[in-house]
Amino acid sequence: MKAIWNNKTLAESNETKIIENNHYFPAESINKEYFKESDTHTHCPWKGEAFYYTLEVDGKQNQDAAWYYPKAKHPAKEIEGHVAFWKGVEMKE
């Protein structure tokens, strides 16, 4: 699976985990050059606190378009540290 935005591959892995129709990519599969830490955090009752990344590709930014759970709650431990996408990031096999 590939995560693509602004014609660049943000992440690529055959080991994604699918939760609530989102592909979660292992941390080592992301191209870190396109990711900047965000101050945004949200809370999910069963997954825990989500942290966000802003994507930056060729001078364009996609605010808070990727998220991850650094310390996922027990029911979501399989996605701890994995990164998921939204806001126009395309998933391709």
Side-chain angles (χ1 to χ4, degrees), residues 15-81:
E15 305 287 324
T16 63
K17 309 280 185 192
I18 301 173
I19 304 277
E20 297 177 330
N21 294 318
N22 293 303
H23 283 270
Y24 284 82
F25 289 77
E28 62 273 9
S29 72
I30 70 170
N31 291 320
K32 294 182 193 260
E33 66 184 293
Y34 302 127
F35 293 74
K36 290 189 172 193
E37 291 282 343
S38 168
D39 291 331
T40 303
H41 301 276
T42 58
H43 182 77
C44 172
W46 73 275
K47 289 182 288 220
E49 186 176 11
F51 288 60
Y52 287 77
Y53 291 113
T54 292
L55 305 174
E56 189 171 303
V57 175
D58 295 335
K60 294 184 181 178
Q61 287 193 344
N62 192 343
Q63 186 73 33
D64 299 335
W67 73 92
Y68 65 101
Y69 295 90
K71 293 183 181 176
K73 289 185 175 184
H74 183 71
K77 277 294 182 191
E78 72 175 317
I79 61 164
E80 186 171 279

Side-chain angles (χ1 to χ4, degrees), residues 1-4 8-18 21-26 28-31 83-85 89-93:
M1 186 61 61
K2 291 182 183 180
I4 299 169
K8 297 290 184 191
T9 299
L10 306 172
E12 184 172 2
S13 177
N14 293 326
E15 305 287 324
T16 63
K17 309 280 185 192
I18 301 173
N21 294 318
N22 293 303
H23 283 270
Y24 284 82
F25 289 77
E28 62 273 9
S29 72
I30 70 170
N31 291 320
V83 180
F85 301 91
V89 176
E90 186 180 0
M91 295 295 129
K92 285 190 175 179
E93 288 192 50

